[in-house]
Structures are given as structure tokens and as C-alpha cells.
Amino acid sequence: MVTIKKIAEIAGVSRGTVDRVLNNRPGVNAETYHKVKEIADKLGYEPNMAGQMLAARKKKIRLGFIVCDTPVDLFFADVYRAACKKAEELKTYGVTVHFYLIKELSDKVIAPLLREAEEDDLDGIALVPLKMSSVQTFVNKMNARKVPMVFFNLDMEDVQRLSYVGCDYYDSGKVAAGLISLVTREKGKIALATSFDEQSPAFRQRLEGFIKELDEEYPQIEIVNRDSNFVFQKGDYSNILDVVKREGHLEALYIINPGDYSICEEVEKLDKERRIKIITNDVNNKQKSFMDRGIISATIGQQPEKQGALPLQILYDFIGLGIEPANQYLTELSIHIKQNIAGKV
Amino acid sequence: MVTIKKIAEIAGVSRGTVDRVLNNRPGVNAETYHKVKEIADKLGYEPNMAGQMLAARKKKIRLGFIVCDTPVDLFFADVYRAACKKAEELKTYGVTVHFYLIKELSDKVIAPLLREAEEDDLDGIALVPLKMSSVQTFVNKMNARKVPMVFFNLDMEDVQRLSYVGCDYYDSGKVAAGLISLVTREKGKIALATSFDEQSPAFRQRLEGFIKELDEEYPQIEIVNRDSNFVFQKGDYSNILDVVKREGHLEALYIINPGDYSICEEVEKLDKERRIKIITNDVNNKQKSFMDRGIISATIGQQPEKQGALPLQILYDFIGLGIEPANQYLTELSIHIKQNIAGKV
DNA sequence: TTGTACGCGTTATCAA
DNA sequence: TTGATAACGCGTACAA
């Protein structure tokens, strides 16, 4: 194994010099720089993680994790849990993680929380870049301060960020289309439904991928409400139920953003013979019970554990160990049915 | 954070003594032992991994990884690849991994390979406990020598082993039943097919889980060849094809152990209208192409990467860091369709 | 510009 | 039975 010490011996310089070269720190003669660099490259130097971690403890890295924490956001509850676990693990390496819990999705509630985060002078931040003015302002400020940020669950263009951890929503829609093709045997009428979330463009991307895949691969499947009437308001599913009633033989329903999932029960009441197969997103206890009862047929997960843990790991690796992350880490679009959901919730 | 040094200070002894106590090494006065132990417990001492890893390099741990490597075993090719990657990673910690590649599944070929492994005097071994005399003998010998072993892909009862990494085949069969219920809309005729593998009881367990779940949850689905005629011989699919021909309207086919997958093409030739939905196991390039062509509808994966990497990690953690593993680590039964298979192969 | 020395936490070895 | 010390690889503060 190639160590700094070994390189120093071969190059005939001190360990300090080699360290300066490898970490691109100033104060090295150009000639020695090249000599050392060459040897290191040739021997294939890779810093030893154990040593790095041990040394990194002195840095006392402070990270922030901003996430919503409301009874209805079951997905983010899982994310939060995973982040807590990772935070505990990182303690050993001298890292402290500050959590900022969003209790309500309004600028009024979020703004003071983010002000707090600003003042805490963090070394790195993980957050969902919601399309809200308070969040946008915060992101811009942190960018100006050069504080590294990792986005999770949602990406944002035209903004400097270290990395993104989350799913590809367009592909998620395509997977939904594939599932619809399975349960319909590639033909028949189906419908769409979603709640509207102005803070996130995710459902639009899912919709796009879904329609694209269905049109291209399964032309015999007809979406009865593809251009209108698929968005329901919180608690009021009348327009969706009307569609279900109007169409005699609906084979399946893709619920993109189910809200609190009660729409599933409403649809089932209209569908005594259990003809309509419901496909939806994410995995949680409420869904699990609906699956057990045969109300939901399949669901598409997006690894909340990874979305909680990886951003913190990325920030630590970058700040503590100098490891550049990839531009994005896409979570797997896992398919869950009644039989393989047990261990997930 | 609680360190050995801190405990030593509080207890008024040296670090060496604390180390002896924490690692249950002999040569400590009973009284000091209890005093130190108590303090460590009270403060909740957790060994620092970075420190341990740094120190563990001196042990020069030697691990063995025994796996089959033939053109037809696509699943184990993925396992092997993952193990190689993990071995590379472990090099940093002073671990060398010796690979023993089984080129043919016969005692004649395997016996000398395992003899080699015996002589290499390994500190720990990862292998599939095949039901073959050469393997059984080897396992017993290693057990007598108290060499820790981790089994992957297949577990074995009545044998001391450190841990098992692989799927639950019974549950795998249940997931297959769930998929069959999806593609059939819970009714109609389906058929079974599998190649026979005497070295592994896996397909029997899958079969059991499949039938159990189908009988209990989906009584309207009929397995036309549930008691006979579902095992095909290598390259000869006549009995299965006869079943397909005989039954006019087969909705689906569950191929448990597909062999080289060519059976899928044969079935498709008989099924011009693409009525029969094929469900099978594992994920690889051959399958992917069949999925793209619509020949296979869905497949159930069992995380070959995890089966390759985790056994080595477990052995290192145990031998190098003294971390006791769980009794088993079940891999996820992931469902793959055309749309979410891209990144997997 | 370069070298030296210490500390991080754990383990092993040698001395007492 | 115990203590002291060196070593692992890295980062950095300080000295030259």
C-alpha cells in the first residue's frame, strides 16, 4: 500500500512536502511539486481512509439537515429517521449535525428556521430546494457564502450545489407506465389522479415520463383523462370519482401524488368487484395496509433511507476528506407489491 | 466521545490494561477488570472504527472467497465482480483475499481447489455451501479448525457458520405469486417450469412459497402442472412446450430456474399473440434483452452485489474489529420490469 | 520553501 | 499482573 511516508522516502523529501503537493497547498517549489506528483501518480496513491478519518476529528465539522416533519409527510419521516441514524454514526468522526424541522410548508414558518440555520455558521447543508421564496433566498445566500449544499428529493437547475440525491421522476413515471401495462395486459382504459403541489415540479415530470412511455410502448392503453381533470383538491375527490363512474370499465388508476391516501379508499368504494388496479408512489405504513387489503396493487419506491443518509455522508466526505462527489446519485425505482413490502416499513 | 485513554484516566490504570479488559484478553486482575468494565459500560464505550482499522493492518488478515465462474452462471459473475471490488477496498486495511474459482460443478474439479484453500491457512472464508461431498467435507474441516465462514446465496442447517447473506427463497416464491396475480388479474390458468439443480434446494423453497401464496391468496388462479411435468432437462423443453400447447389459454408462466434462458424464446415461438406473461428470477444482460423484446414480463432479483461484498465485510469486521455479525442478512427481493432494469446490468 | 513533531484511537510488544 | 511505548496514515501547527 502506498502511503505518504513511502512517497516521501522515494522522493527524498519530507512527509510535509508530500502532503502539500497531494492536497494542492501552496508553498512548494515547482520542481519538487512535479517530482512528487509524478511518483504519487505512478504508485497510484490513494489516501487511507482510516488515517484521514482519525485526523479529521479535529475539524469539528458542523452540518445542517433541513427537512419537513409533519404528520402527513410520511416519506420525509423515513428520510429524517435515516438522517438521524447517520448523524449518530458521524459523531465518532467529530461531526455534529443540526436538524431544522419544517413543521408547515409556508414561508412564514420556514423563514425564521432558515435564519437560525444562517446564524449557526454551518460547514455544509443538506436540504430539499423547494420552490418557495424563503428557501430560494437561503440557497442563494449559502451559495454566496460558498457553503457546500447537497440537495435531496428534488434537484434545482441554475444553482451551484455539490450533489443531488434523489430519484429521476421522469423515469419514475416510465416505471409506472410499465406497471400499468402489466396489470392491464397492455390494453384498456385507465385514469390518472394526483394532488397538486406547487412547491415541487416532481409530479409533472412523472406525468411526462408516464405518458411518453405509454404512448410509445403501449398504444392500446387509453388514458381517459389525460388532458384534464386529473388533479384533485385536498379532501375533495369528486372529479376523479366522476371519471371512475363515467367510465364503465376502468382497468387501472395511476395516482401520482396521493396526498393522505384516502382517495384510494374512495375509489375502492365505487369498485366493488375490485377491477381497478391502483398504482402509486412511495412506501409507508398506510400504504402497506392498503396493499394488504388489496386496494393498492403496486407502488414505486425511491429509497428514503438513502435520501436521508447519503447527503450527510457526501458532505462529510467532501469537507472532512476532500472527496469530490458525483454530480448526482439517483435512487433506485423499486417496485413493491404486497409480498415484498414487509421489511420496508 | 469515550476513548480508551479517557477510561484509563478515570480508572487510574494504563491504556494497555483497559484494552485487555475490553477485548477480554487474559492477564488482568479480577478486581481491576470489574472496575474498568463498569466504567466502560457506564460511559457507553464504543470502539472508534478509524483507530481500529488503522491498528488492524498489522494483522495481515487473509480471506478466501470461493465462487463458481462459468459462462452460464450469470448470477455468480455479478457476485464475483462485487467481491473483487470489495477485496480491492479491503487491501487498504491489510486484508488479502484469495479467490478460488469453480470452473465446473463436479467433485472432481472442486476437490483439488478446496484442498488448495485448506493449505492456504486462511483466517476466514466465504462460500456457497453446495450439497456436494467435496464441499461438505471442506466445510466440516474448516469448522473443526474454527475458521469463521460466511455462507452466501445458500444457507445450510446444522453447521456452524458465522452468518448467511442471501435471499429468503420461500419469500421469493411468494413474490413471484404476487407478480403472477398482477399479470393475470387474479384469475386464469398458469404454468410452472424449472430446471433441476440437485446441488441446491433453492428452487424447491421457491416452489413451496409460490404455491402456498397462490393457494391462500389467489384461489382463482389455476396451476395446470402443479404436481408434475414442470421440470425440464437441459436444452430439452418438450414437456413444458407440450403443456403450453395443450392448454389453450395460458395467462402466465413462472420459470423458477431458467437455466440458460433459451426456454423463454421457445415458449414465445408458440405464443404469437404474446398472451403468456413470463415471470422469472435474477437480473442479467440476457434477461434484459428478453425484457426489451417483451418476452419476459418481470423478474425477481436478489442483490448479487450484496452477496459478493457483504460476506467479505462481515469477515473483516469479525476478525479484524471483533464485531459480531447478525445471524443472517437477507437480500431484498427486488422486482424488475423493462423500465427499471437499466441501471442494474 | 521545506522539515519536524504531535495528536487522533487502537493494538501489540516489551519491560517491569 | 500491569505500565510504558511504538506503530498505523494523515493533517497541521510550528520551526528552520
Side-chain angles (χ1 to χ4, degrees):
Chain A
M1 193 209 159
V2 195
T3 69
I4 288 188
K5 195 174 145 191
K6 203 174 284 174
I7 294 174
E9 277 171 24
I10 295 172
V13 295
S14 76
R15 289 191 303 227
T17 304
V18 177
D19 182 68
R20 278 183 278 265
V21 171
L22 295 175
N23 294 322
N24 287 312
R25 272 199 290 259
V28 185
N29 180 297
E31 202 180 331
T32 27
Y33 179 93
H34 286 299
K35 188 170 68 182
V36 170
K37 190 83 174 176
E38 201 178 331
I39 294 172
D41 285 349
K42 200 173 62 192
L43 299 186
Y45 171 78
E46 287 283 338
N48 181 290
M49 241 204 199
Q52 269 183 311
M53 291 197 308
L54 219 41
R57 298 185 82 252
K58 299 181 209 170
K59 290 190 185 170
K60 299 277 173 209
I61 295 170
R62 298 155 48 78
L63 302 180
F65 196 95
I66 306 170
V67 64
C68 54
D69 178 39
T70 68
V72 70
D73 277 306
L74 297 167
F75 178 78
F76 285 111
D78 288 340
V79 173
Y80 178 39
R81 198 170 311 124
C84 287
K85 200 179 145 207
K86 176 56 84 174
E88 193 59 37
E89 182 192 324
L90 289 175
K91 259 191 195 167
T92 323
Y93 309 127
V95 178
T96 50
V97 180
H98 297 250
F99 285 94
Y100 304 90
L101 302 177
I102 299 173
K103 296 291 184 184
E104 193 194 300
L105 272 185
S106 71
D107 282 314
K108 209 167 136 186
V109 171
I110 297 177
L113 202 69
L114 296 183
R115 204 177 324 278
E116 211 184 302
E118 274 177 45
E119 287 163 8
D120 282 346
D121 198 33
L122 302 158
D123 299 307
I125 300 167
L127 80 166
V128 183
L130 295 166
K131 295 233 176 297
M132 304 175 70
S133 71
S134 55
V135 177
Q136 301 294 310
T137 315
F138 178 77
V139 166
N140 289 332
K141 257 188 207 159
M142 291 303 111
N143 244 324
R145 277 203 215 163
K146 308 253 178 239
V147 179
M149 280 180 297
V150 174
F151 293 162
F152 62 91
N153 195 255
L154 199 62
D155 204 358
M156 195 180 176
E157 287 169 13
D158 306 321
V159 161
Q160 284 274 8
R161 92 266 186 289
L162 189 60
S163 189
Y164 165 66
V165 178
C167 81
D168 182 318
Y169 288 101
Y170 187 79
D171 283 351
S172 175
K174 285 189 161 191
V175 173
L179 284 173
I180 289 285
S181 85
L182 277 191
V183 301
T184 59
R185 298 184 76 89
E186 287 133 36
K187 59 180 176 293
K189 291 179 179 179
I190 65 150
L192 283 170
T194 186
S195 65
F196 183 65
D197 182 352
E198 55 184 333
Q199 282 88 36
S200 160
F203 89 90
R204 287 211 174 281
Q205 291 170 20
R206 279 192 173 124
L207 187 61
E208 258 180 64
F210 180 76
I211 288 181
K212 168 96 173 179
E213 182 76 4
L214 225 50
D215 285 353
E216 282 190 357
E217 300 288 326
Y218 313 105
Q220 293 190 63
I221 297 176
E222 181 197 351
I223 310 171
V224 299
N225 61 345
R226 69 183 289 161
D227 297 313
S228 65
N229 238 341
F230 54 79
V231 175
F232 57 81
Q233 302 302 314
K234 196 175 150 55
D236 174 15
Y237 312 121
S238 51
N239 56 338
I240 306 297
L241 299 177
D242 282 349
V243 169
V244 173
K245 278 182 227 160
R246 175 165 31 96
E247 305 292 335
H249 274 322
L250 224 43
E251 307 288 330
L253 178 63
Y254 174 35
I255 307 181
I256 304 180
N257 230 334
D260 64 1
Y261 292 92
S262 54
I263 183 176
C264 304
E265 277 174 314
E266 297 301 317
V267 170
E268 194 225 357
K269 281 181 201 159
L270 289 180
D271 179 42
K272 280 298 164 214
E273 29 169 343
R274 289 282 167 80
R275 183 187 192 89
I276 302 175
K277 307 294 174 195
I278 296 181
I279 307 292
T280 177
N281 291 297
D282 295 340
V283 181
N284 53 55
N285 269 317
K286 196 141 189 183
Q287 257 181 338
K288 182 173 160 11
S289 81
F290 283 179
M291 279 202 174
D292 284 341
R293 289 162 57 196
I295 297 176
I296 293 179
S297 292
T299 181
I300 301 161
Q302 49 165 328
Q303 298 187 287
E305 321 78 27
K306 190 167 168 181
Q307 296 195 22
L310 194 53
L312 291 174
Q313 186 68 55
I314 289 171
L315 286 168
Y316 171 70
D317 286 347
F318 179 68
I319 301 167
L321 314 180
I323 298 171
E324 287 281 345
N327 179 54
Q328 58 175 18
Y329 296 87
L330 295 182
T331 53
E332 269 183 45
L333 297 165
S334 53
I335 296 172
H336 298 280
I337 60 177
K338 187 166 105 176
Q339 287 85 1
N340 74 338
I341 205 173
K344 303 298 294 178
V345 285
Chain B
M1 192 209 162
V2 195
T3 69
I4 287 189
K5 194 173 146 192
K6 204 175 283 174
I7 295 173
E9 277 171 25
I10 295 172
V13 296
S14 74
R15 290 194 304 234
T17 305
V18 177
D19 179 65
R20 279 183 278 264
V21 171
L22 295 175
N23 294 322
N24 287 311
R25 271 198 288 261
V28 184
N29 179 298
E31 201 181 331
T32 26
Y33 179 92
H34 286 299
K35 188 171 69 180
V36 171
K37 190 84 174 174
E38 201 177 331
I39 293 172
D41 284 351
K42 202 173 62 193
L43 299 186
Y45 170 79
E46 287 283 339
N48 181 293
M49 237 200 202
Q52 269 183 311
M53 289 197 309
L54 215 44
R57 300 184 80 250
K58 299 178 210 172
K59 291 189 185 168
K60 300 275 174 210
I61 295 170
R62 299 155 47 80
L63 302 180
F65 196 96
I66 305 170
V67 64
C68 54
D69 178 38
T70 68
V72 70
D73 277 307
L74 296 167
F75 178 79
F76 285 111
D78 288 340
V79 173
Y80 178 39
R81 198 170 310 124
C84 287
K85 200 179 145 206
K86 177 56 84 174
E88 193 59 36
E89 183 192 324
L90 289 175
K91 260 191 194 168
T92 322
Y93 308 127
V95 178
T96 49
V97 180
H98 297 249
F99 285 94
Y100 304 89
L101 303 177
I102 298 173
K103 297 291 184 183
E104 193 195 302
L105 272 186
S106 70
D107 282 313
K108 208 167 136 187
V109 171
I110 296 178
L113 202 68
L114 296 183
R115 205 177 324 279
E116 210 184 303
E118 275 177 46
E119 288 164 9
D120 281 346
D121 197 33
L122 302 158
D123 299 306
I125 299 168
L127 79 166
V128 183
L130 294 166
K131 294 234 176 298
M132 303 175 70
S133 71
S134 56
V135 178
Q136 301 293 311
T137 314
F138 178 76
V139 166
N140 290 333
K141 256 187 208 162
M142 291 304 111
N143 244 325
R145 276 202 216 165
K146 308 252 179 241
V147 179
M149 280 180 297
V150 174
F151 294 162
F152 62 91
N153 194 255
L154 199 63
D155 204 358
M156 194 181 178
E157 287 169 14
D158 305 321
V159 160
Q160 284 274 7
R161 91 262 183 295
L162 189 60
S163 189
Y164 164 67
V165 179
C167 81
D168 182 318
Y169 289 100
Y170 187 78
D171 282 353
S172 176
K174 285 189 160 191
V175 173
L179 284 173
I180 289 284
S181 85
L182 277 191
V183 300
T184 59
R185 297 184 76 89
E186 287 132 36
K187 59 180 176 294
K189 291 180 178 176
I190 65 150
L192 283 170
T194 187
S195 65
F196 183 64
D197 182 352
E198 56 184 333
Q199 282 87 36
S200 160
F203 89 91
R204 289 211 173 279
Q205 291 169 22
R206 279 193 173 122
L207 186 62
E208 260 181 61
F210 181 77
I211 288 181
K212 168 95 172 179
E213 183 76 3
L214 224 50
D215 284 352
E216 283 190 357
E217 299 289 325
Y218 312 105
Q220 292 191 65
I221 297 177
E222 181 198 351
I223 310 173
V224 298
N225 61 344
R226 69 182 292 160
D227 297 313
S228 65
N229 238 339
F230 55 79
V231 175
F232 58 81
Q233 303 303 314
K234 196 174 152 52
D236 173 16
Y237 312 121
S238 52
N239 56 337
I240 306 297
L241 298 178
D242 282 349
V243 169
V244 173
K245 278 182 228 161
R246 175 164 33 94
E247 304 291 333
H249 274 322
L250 225 42
E251 307 287 330
L253 177 64
Y254 174 34
I255 308 181
I256 303 180
N257 230 334
D260 65 1
Y261 291 92
S262 52
I263 183 175
C264 304
E265 277 174 314
E266 296 302 317
V267 170
E268 195 226 358
K269 281 183 201 158
L270 290 180
D271 179 43
K272 280 299 164 211
E273 30 171 341
R274 287 284 166 80
R275 182 185 194 89
I276 302 175
K277 306 295 173 193
I278 296 181
I279 307 292
T280 177
N281 290 298
D282 295 341
V283 181
N284 53 54
N285 269 315
K286 196 140 188 183
Q287 257 181 336
K288 183 173 161 9
S289 81
F290 282 177
M291 280 204 173
D292 284 341
R293 290 160 57 194
I295 298 176
I296 293 178
S297 292
T299 181
I300 301 161
Q302 49 165 330
Q303 298 187 286
E305 320 78 26
K306 191 168 169 181
Q307 296 196 21
L310 194 52
L312 292 174
Q313 185 68 56
I314 289 172
L315 286 169
Y316 171 70
D317 286 347
F318 179 69
I319 302 167
L321 313 180
I323 299 172
E324 287 280 346
N327 178 53
Q328 57 175 17
Y329 296 88
L330 295 182
T331 53
E332 270 183 44
L333 296 165
S334 53
I335 296 172
H336 298 279
I337 59 177
K338 188 167 106 177
Q339 286 84 3
N340 73 338
I341 205 174
K344 302 300 294 181
V345 285

